[in-house]
Short mmCIF file of all heavy atoms in Angstrom, two decimals:
data_model
loop_
_atom_site.label_atom_id
_atom_site.label_comp_id
_atom_site.label_asym_id
_atom_site.label_seq_id
_atom_site.Cartn_x
_atom_site.Cartn_y
_atom_site.Cartn_z
N LYS A 17 40.28 -8.95 42.39
CA LYS A 17 38.87 -8.60 42.19
C LYS A 17 38.28 -9.52 41.13
O LYS A 17 38.79 -9.60 40.01
CB LYS A 17 38.75 -7.14 41.77
CG LYS A 17 37.32 -6.68 41.49
CD LYS A 17 37.32 -5.22 41.05
CE LYS A 17 35.93 -4.74 40.69
NZ LYS A 17 35.94 -3.32 40.23
N VAL A 18 37.20 -10.22 41.47
CA VAL A 18 36.58 -11.18 40.56
C VAL A 18 35.21 -10.64 40.15
O VAL A 18 34.36 -10.33 41.01
CB VAL A 18 36.41 -12.56 41.22
CG1 VAL A 18 35.82 -13.56 40.23
CG2 VAL A 18 37.75 -13.06 41.75
N GLN A 19 34.99 -10.54 38.85
CA GLN A 19 33.71 -10.10 38.31
C GLN A 19 33.09 -11.24 37.52
O GLN A 19 33.77 -11.95 36.77
CB GLN A 19 33.89 -8.87 37.41
CG GLN A 19 34.31 -7.62 38.19
CD GLN A 19 34.48 -6.41 37.30
OE1 GLN A 19 35.37 -6.36 36.47
NE2 GLN A 19 33.60 -5.43 37.49
N PHE A 20 31.76 -11.39 37.66
CA PHE A 20 31.07 -12.55 37.12
C PHE A 20 30.34 -12.19 35.82
O PHE A 20 29.97 -11.03 35.60
CB PHE A 20 30.09 -13.10 38.16
CG PHE A 20 30.75 -13.51 39.44
CD1 PHE A 20 30.93 -12.60 40.48
CD2 PHE A 20 31.22 -14.79 39.59
CE1 PHE A 20 31.55 -12.98 41.65
CE2 PHE A 20 31.86 -15.18 40.76
CZ PHE A 20 32.02 -14.28 41.79
N PRO A 21 30.11 -13.19 34.96
CA PRO A 21 29.39 -12.91 33.70
C PRO A 21 27.94 -12.52 33.96
O PRO A 21 27.37 -12.80 35.03
CB PRO A 21 29.50 -14.24 32.94
CG PRO A 21 29.75 -15.27 33.98
CD PRO A 21 30.53 -14.60 35.06
N CYS A 22 27.35 -11.88 32.98
CA CYS A 22 25.96 -11.45 33.09
C CYS A 22 25.02 -12.63 32.89
O CYS A 22 25.31 -13.56 32.13
CB CYS A 22 25.66 -10.37 32.06
SG CYS A 22 26.73 -8.92 32.18
N ALA A 23 23.88 -12.58 33.56
CA ALA A 23 22.89 -13.65 33.46
C ALA A 23 21.61 -13.12 32.82
O ALA A 23 21.32 -11.92 32.88
CB ALA A 23 22.58 -14.21 34.85
N ALA A 24 20.86 -14.04 32.23
CA ALA A 24 19.56 -13.69 31.66
C ALA A 24 18.49 -14.27 32.56
O ALA A 24 18.36 -15.50 32.68
CB ALA A 24 19.42 -14.27 30.25
N ASN A 25 17.73 -13.40 33.22
CA ASN A 25 16.73 -13.87 34.16
C ASN A 25 15.69 -12.79 34.38
O ASN A 25 15.98 -11.60 34.25
CB ASN A 25 17.42 -14.23 35.49
CG ASN A 25 16.49 -14.94 36.45
OD1 ASN A 25 15.82 -14.30 37.25
ND2 ASN A 25 16.42 -16.26 36.35
N ARG A 26 14.48 -13.21 34.75
CA ARG A 26 13.40 -12.24 34.92
C ARG A 26 13.61 -11.37 36.15
O ARG A 26 12.95 -10.34 36.31
CB ARG A 26 12.06 -12.97 35.02
CG ARG A 26 11.85 -13.75 36.31
CD ARG A 26 10.53 -14.51 36.26
NE ARG A 26 10.25 -15.21 37.51
CZ ARG A 26 9.27 -16.07 37.65
NH1 ARG A 26 8.48 -16.34 36.63
NH2 ARG A 26 9.07 -16.69 38.81
N ARG A 27 14.48 -11.78 37.08
CA ARG A 27 14.75 -10.95 38.24
C ARG A 27 15.71 -9.81 37.92
O ARG A 27 16.00 -8.97 38.76
CB ARG A 27 15.33 -11.82 39.36
CG ARG A 27 14.30 -12.69 40.03
CD ARG A 27 14.92 -13.89 40.74
NE ARG A 27 15.96 -13.50 41.66
CZ ARG A 27 16.72 -14.39 42.30
NH1 ARG A 27 16.54 -15.68 42.10
NH2 ARG A 27 17.66 -13.99 43.13
N CYS A 28 16.23 -9.78 36.70
CA CYS A 28 17.15 -8.72 36.29
C CYS A 28 16.42 -7.76 35.37
O CYS A 28 15.70 -8.18 34.47
CB CYS A 28 18.36 -9.30 35.56
SG CYS A 28 19.27 -10.52 36.53
N SER A 29 16.64 -6.49 35.60
CA SER A 29 16.00 -5.49 34.74
C SER A 29 16.69 -5.48 33.38
O SER A 29 17.87 -5.77 33.26
CB SER A 29 16.10 -4.10 35.39
OG SER A 29 17.45 -3.73 35.58
N LEU A 30 15.91 -5.13 32.37
CA LEU A 30 16.45 -5.10 31.02
C LEU A 30 17.43 -3.94 30.85
O LEU A 30 17.29 -2.90 31.49
CB LEU A 30 15.31 -4.96 30.00
CG LEU A 30 14.31 -6.13 29.95
CD1 LEU A 30 13.19 -5.81 28.97
CD2 LEU A 30 15.01 -7.42 29.55
N GLY A 31 18.40 -4.13 30.01
CA GLY A 31 19.34 -3.05 29.69
C GLY A 31 20.51 -2.93 30.63
O GLY A 31 21.31 -2.01 30.50
N ARG A 32 20.66 -3.83 31.59
CA ARG A 32 21.83 -3.77 32.46
C ARG A 32 22.38 -5.17 32.67
O ARG A 32 21.67 -6.16 32.52
CB ARG A 32 21.48 -3.14 33.82
CG ARG A 32 20.78 -4.07 34.80
CD ARG A 32 20.62 -3.43 36.16
NE ARG A 32 20.03 -4.34 37.14
CZ ARG A 32 20.72 -5.10 37.96
NH1 ARG A 32 22.05 -5.08 37.91
NH2 ARG A 32 20.12 -5.88 38.84
N CYS A 33 23.65 -5.23 33.02
CA CYS A 33 24.28 -6.51 33.31
C CYS A 33 23.84 -6.97 34.69
O CYS A 33 23.93 -6.23 35.67
CB CYS A 33 25.80 -6.38 33.26
SG CYS A 33 26.67 -7.88 33.79
N CYS A 34 23.34 -8.17 34.75
CA CYS A 34 22.93 -8.77 36.02
C CYS A 34 23.91 -9.90 36.33
O CYS A 34 23.80 -10.99 35.77
CB CYS A 34 21.52 -9.31 35.89
SG CYS A 34 20.83 -9.90 37.44
N PRO A 35 24.92 -9.66 37.18
CA PRO A 35 25.91 -10.70 37.44
C PRO A 35 25.27 -11.97 38.00
O PRO A 35 24.29 -11.92 38.74
CB PRO A 35 26.84 -10.05 38.47
CG PRO A 35 26.62 -8.58 38.33
CD PRO A 35 25.19 -8.43 37.93
N ILE A 36 25.84 -13.09 37.63
CA ILE A 36 25.34 -14.38 38.11
C ILE A 36 25.28 -14.42 39.63
O ILE A 36 24.38 -15.02 40.23
CB ILE A 36 26.22 -15.51 37.55
CG1 ILE A 36 25.86 -15.76 36.09
CG2 ILE A 36 26.08 -16.80 38.35
CD1 ILE A 36 26.69 -16.82 35.42
N SER A 37 26.23 -13.76 40.28
CA SER A 37 26.30 -13.79 41.74
C SER A 37 25.12 -13.08 42.39
O SER A 37 24.94 -13.18 43.61
CB SER A 37 27.61 -13.16 42.22
OG SER A 37 27.79 -11.87 41.66
N GLU A 38 24.30 -12.34 41.62
CA GLU A 38 23.09 -11.76 42.17
C GLU A 38 21.94 -12.77 42.20
O GLU A 38 20.95 -12.55 42.90
CB GLU A 38 22.67 -10.52 41.37
CG GLU A 38 23.58 -9.32 41.54
CD GLU A 38 23.04 -8.07 40.88
OE1 GLU A 38 21.91 -8.14 40.35
OE2 GLU A 38 23.74 -7.04 40.88
N LEU A 39 22.07 -13.85 41.43
CA LEU A 39 21.01 -14.85 41.35
C LEU A 39 21.35 -16.11 42.13
O LEU A 39 20.47 -16.75 42.70
CB LEU A 39 20.74 -15.21 39.88
CG LEU A 39 20.43 -14.03 38.96
CD1 LEU A 39 20.22 -14.51 37.54
CD2 LEU A 39 19.20 -13.30 39.46
N ILE A 40 22.60 -16.48 42.11
CA ILE A 40 23.07 -17.60 42.92
C ILE A 40 24.28 -17.11 43.72
O ILE A 40 24.89 -16.10 43.37
CB ILE A 40 23.47 -18.81 42.05
CG1 ILE A 40 24.62 -18.45 41.10
CG2 ILE A 40 22.26 -19.31 41.25
CD1 ILE A 40 25.17 -19.63 40.32
N HIS A 41 24.62 -17.80 44.79
CA HIS A 41 25.78 -17.45 45.60
C HIS A 41 26.86 -18.50 45.36
O HIS A 41 26.92 -19.51 46.07
CB HIS A 41 25.41 -17.37 47.08
CG HIS A 41 24.47 -16.25 47.39
ND1 HIS A 41 23.66 -16.23 48.50
CD2 HIS A 41 24.20 -15.10 46.72
CE1 HIS A 41 22.93 -15.13 48.51
NE2 HIS A 41 23.25 -14.43 47.44
N PRO A 42 27.71 -18.28 44.37
CA PRO A 42 28.65 -19.33 43.97
C PRO A 42 29.85 -19.45 44.90
O PRO A 42 30.17 -18.53 45.65
CB PRO A 42 29.10 -18.86 42.57
CG PRO A 42 29.01 -17.36 42.65
CD PRO A 42 27.83 -17.07 43.53
N TRP A 43 30.50 -20.59 44.84
CA TRP A 43 31.81 -20.75 45.43
C TRP A 43 32.84 -20.21 44.45
O TRP A 43 32.88 -20.63 43.29
CB TRP A 43 32.10 -22.22 45.73
CG TRP A 43 31.28 -22.79 46.86
CD1 TRP A 43 30.21 -23.62 46.76
CD2 TRP A 43 31.47 -22.53 48.26
NE1 TRP A 43 29.71 -23.92 48.01
CE2 TRP A 43 30.47 -23.27 48.95
CE3 TRP A 43 32.38 -21.77 48.99
CZ2 TRP A 43 30.36 -23.25 50.33
CZ3 TRP A 43 32.27 -21.76 50.37
CH2 TRP A 43 31.28 -22.49 51.03
N THR A 44 33.65 -19.28 44.91
CA THR A 44 34.65 -18.65 44.05
C THR A 44 36.04 -19.07 44.52
O THR A 44 36.38 -18.90 45.68
CB THR A 44 34.53 -17.12 44.10
OG1 THR A 44 33.19 -16.74 43.76
CG2 THR A 44 35.50 -16.46 43.13
N THR A 45 36.81 -19.62 43.60
CA THR A 45 38.16 -20.09 43.92
C THR A 45 39.16 -19.23 43.15
O THR A 45 39.08 -19.10 41.94
CB THR A 45 38.35 -21.56 43.53
OG1 THR A 45 37.41 -22.36 44.26
CG2 THR A 45 39.76 -22.03 43.85
N VAL A 46 40.11 -18.64 43.89
CA VAL A 46 41.15 -17.78 43.32
C VAL A 46 42.50 -18.41 43.63
O VAL A 46 42.77 -18.78 44.78
CB VAL A 46 41.08 -16.35 43.88
CG1 VAL A 46 42.18 -15.48 43.25
CG2 VAL A 46 39.71 -15.74 43.63
N THR A 47 43.33 -18.52 42.62
CA THR A 47 44.67 -19.07 42.77
C THR A 47 45.69 -18.03 42.34
O THR A 47 45.57 -17.46 41.25
CB THR A 47 44.86 -20.35 41.94
OG1 THR A 47 43.86 -21.30 42.32
CG2 THR A 47 46.25 -20.94 42.15
N VAL A 48 46.67 -17.77 43.20
CA VAL A 48 47.78 -16.87 42.88
C VAL A 48 49.05 -17.71 42.85
O VAL A 48 49.35 -18.44 43.81
CB VAL A 48 47.91 -15.75 43.94
CG1 VAL A 48 49.18 -14.94 43.72
CG2 VAL A 48 46.69 -14.84 43.88
N TYR A 49 49.79 -17.64 41.75
CA TYR A 49 50.97 -18.48 41.59
C TYR A 49 52.14 -17.66 41.06
O TYR A 49 51.96 -16.61 40.43
CB TYR A 49 50.68 -19.66 40.65
CG TYR A 49 50.29 -19.26 39.24
CD1 TYR A 49 51.24 -19.09 38.23
CD2 TYR A 49 48.95 -19.04 38.92
CE1 TYR A 49 50.87 -18.72 36.96
CE2 TYR A 49 48.57 -18.66 37.64
CZ TYR A 49 49.54 -18.51 36.66
OH TYR A 49 49.18 -18.13 35.39
N ASN A 50 53.34 -18.16 41.36
CA ASN A 50 54.57 -17.54 40.88
C ASN A 50 54.75 -17.93 39.41
O ASN A 50 54.77 -19.11 39.07
CB ASN A 50 55.75 -18.02 41.72
CG ASN A 50 57.02 -17.23 41.43
OD1 ASN A 50 57.32 -16.89 40.29
ND2 ASN A 50 57.78 -16.93 42.47
N LYS A 51 54.86 -16.94 38.57
CA LYS A 51 54.94 -17.21 37.13
C LYS A 51 56.18 -18.00 36.76
O LYS A 51 56.16 -18.80 35.81
CB LYS A 51 54.91 -15.87 36.36
CG LYS A 51 54.70 -16.03 34.86
CD LYS A 51 54.55 -14.67 34.20
CE LYS A 51 54.28 -14.81 32.70
NZ LYS A 51 54.13 -13.48 32.04
N GLN A 52 57.29 -17.80 37.49
CA GLN A 52 58.52 -18.52 37.20
C GLN A 52 58.59 -19.86 37.93
O GLN A 52 59.39 -20.72 37.57
CB GLN A 52 59.75 -17.67 37.59
CG GLN A 52 60.05 -16.51 36.66
CD GLN A 52 59.10 -15.35 36.81
OE1 GLN A 52 58.62 -15.08 37.92
NE2 GLN A 52 58.79 -14.66 35.72
N ASN A 53 57.78 -20.03 38.97
CA ASN A 53 57.82 -21.25 39.75
C ASN A 53 56.40 -21.62 40.15
O ASN A 53 55.89 -21.18 41.18
CB ASN A 53 58.71 -21.06 41.00
CG ASN A 53 58.78 -22.30 41.85
OD1 ASN A 53 58.40 -23.39 41.42
ND2 ASN A 53 59.23 -22.14 43.09
N HIS A 54 55.73 -22.43 39.31
CA HIS A 54 54.32 -22.74 39.52
C HIS A 54 54.07 -23.55 40.78
O HIS A 54 52.92 -23.66 41.23
CB HIS A 54 53.75 -23.47 38.31
CG HIS A 54 53.55 -22.58 37.12
ND1 HIS A 54 52.69 -22.88 36.08
CD2 HIS A 54 54.09 -21.37 36.81
CE1 HIS A 54 52.71 -21.91 35.18
NE2 HIS A 54 53.56 -20.98 35.59
N SER A 55 55.10 -24.16 41.35
CA SER A 55 54.92 -24.91 42.59
C SER A 55 54.68 -23.98 43.78
O SER A 55 54.23 -24.42 44.84
CB SER A 55 56.13 -25.80 42.86
OG SER A 55 57.30 -25.01 43.03
N GLU A 56 55.00 -22.70 43.62
CA GLU A 56 54.72 -21.70 44.65
C GLU A 56 53.38 -21.04 44.32
O GLU A 56 53.27 -20.27 43.37
CB GLU A 56 55.82 -20.64 44.72
CG GLU A 56 55.56 -19.59 45.80
CD GLU A 56 56.45 -18.36 45.65
OE1 GLU A 56 57.45 -18.42 44.89
OE2 GLU A 56 56.13 -17.33 46.28
N TYR A 57 52.37 -21.36 45.11
CA TYR A 57 51.05 -20.79 44.85
C TYR A 57 50.25 -20.72 46.15
O TYR A 57 50.55 -21.39 47.13
CB TYR A 57 50.29 -21.61 43.81
CG TYR A 57 49.88 -22.99 44.27
CD1 TYR A 57 48.65 -23.21 44.88
CD2 TYR A 57 50.74 -24.07 44.09
CE1 TYR A 57 48.28 -24.46 45.31
CE2 TYR A 57 50.37 -25.34 44.52
CZ TYR A 57 49.14 -25.52 45.13
OH TYR A 57 48.78 -26.77 45.56
N GLN A 58 49.22 -19.89 46.13
CA GLN A 58 48.25 -19.80 47.21
C GLN A 58 46.86 -19.89 46.61
O GLN A 58 46.61 -19.38 45.51
CB GLN A 58 48.39 -18.47 47.98
CG GLN A 58 49.73 -18.26 48.66
CD GLN A 58 49.76 -16.96 49.45
OE1 GLN A 58 48.82 -16.61 50.15
NE2 GLN A 58 50.85 -16.22 49.31
N ARG A 59 45.94 -20.52 47.33
CA ARG A 59 44.57 -20.70 46.82
C ARG A 59 43.57 -20.39 47.92
O ARG A 59 43.73 -20.79 49.05
CB ARG A 59 44.39 -22.13 46.29
CG ARG A 59 43.01 -22.42 45.72
CD ARG A 59 43.00 -23.78 45.02
NE ARG A 59 43.88 -23.75 43.85
CZ ARG A 59 44.51 -24.82 43.38
NH1 ARG A 59 44.39 -25.99 43.99
NH2 ARG A 59 45.27 -24.71 42.30
N ARG A 60 42.53 -19.65 47.55
CA ARG A 60 41.46 -19.31 48.47
C ARG A 60 40.12 -19.62 47.79
O ARG A 60 39.92 -19.32 46.62
CB ARG A 60 41.49 -17.83 48.84
CG ARG A 60 42.78 -17.34 49.45
CD ARG A 60 42.83 -17.58 50.94
NE ARG A 60 43.97 -16.90 51.53
CZ ARG A 60 45.21 -17.37 51.55
NH1 ARG A 60 45.47 -18.54 50.99
NH2 ARG A 60 46.19 -16.69 52.12
N THR A 61 39.21 -20.22 48.56
CA THR A 61 37.85 -20.46 48.09
C THR A 61 36.89 -19.74 49.04
O THR A 61 36.93 -19.97 50.25
CB THR A 61 37.52 -21.96 48.04
OG1 THR A 61 38.40 -22.60 47.11
CG2 THR A 61 36.08 -22.18 47.58
N VAL A 62 36.07 -18.88 48.50
CA VAL A 62 35.15 -18.08 49.31
C VAL A 62 33.73 -18.24 48.79
O VAL A 62 33.50 -18.54 47.61
CB VAL A 62 35.54 -16.58 49.30
CG1 VAL A 62 36.91 -16.38 49.91
CG2 VAL A 62 35.52 -16.01 47.87
N TRP A 63 32.78 -18.06 49.68
CA TRP A 63 31.37 -18.08 49.31
C TRP A 63 30.95 -16.66 48.98
O TRP A 63 30.92 -15.79 49.84
CB TRP A 63 30.54 -18.65 50.45
CG TRP A 63 29.10 -18.85 50.10
CD1 TRP A 63 28.57 -19.22 48.90
CD2 TRP A 63 27.98 -18.70 50.98
NE1 TRP A 63 27.21 -19.32 48.97
CE2 TRP A 63 26.81 -19.01 50.23
CE3 TRP A 63 27.85 -18.36 52.33
CZ2 TRP A 63 25.54 -18.96 50.79
CZ3 TRP A 63 26.57 -18.31 52.88
CH2 TRP A 63 25.43 -18.61 52.12
N THR A 64 30.64 -16.43 47.72
CA THR A 64 30.36 -15.07 47.25
C THR A 64 28.89 -14.75 47.41
O THR A 64 28.02 -15.46 46.93
CB THR A 64 30.77 -14.92 45.77
OG1 THR A 64 32.14 -15.24 45.62
CG2 THR A 64 30.50 -13.51 45.28
#
C-alpha cells in the first residue's frame, strides 16, 4: 500500500491532507526484494 505526501493547492480544502495523487496522476514504482539476496527482486510500475 503506497500513500502519497500532502500537497498545498487551492483545489484542496483547508484542514485536511490532500494527497498529491489527487492533483496529478503519478507513475508509482514499487520494488520488492529479498533482504538476504538483493538480486532477487520484483518491480511494478503503475499509473496511479
Side-chain angles (χ1 to χ4, degrees):
K17 178 181 177 181
V18 183
Q19 292 180 293
F20 301 89
C22 303
N25 189 270
R26 71 184 183 189
R27 286 158 53 186
C28 303
S29 60
L30 297 176
R32 79 173 183 94
C33 173
C34 187
I36 283 178
S37 53
E38 289 187 4
L39 305 178
I40 62 174
H41 294 158
W43 290 105
T44 305
T45 299
V46 180
T47 303
V48 172
Y49 61 90
N50 190 320
K51 191 174 183 180
Q52 286 75 33
N53 180 15
H54 286 201
S55 62
E56 180 194 346
Y57 68 90
Q58 298 182 44
R59 181 170 295 151
R60 303 275 190 278
T61 298
V62 298
W63 186 34
T64 303

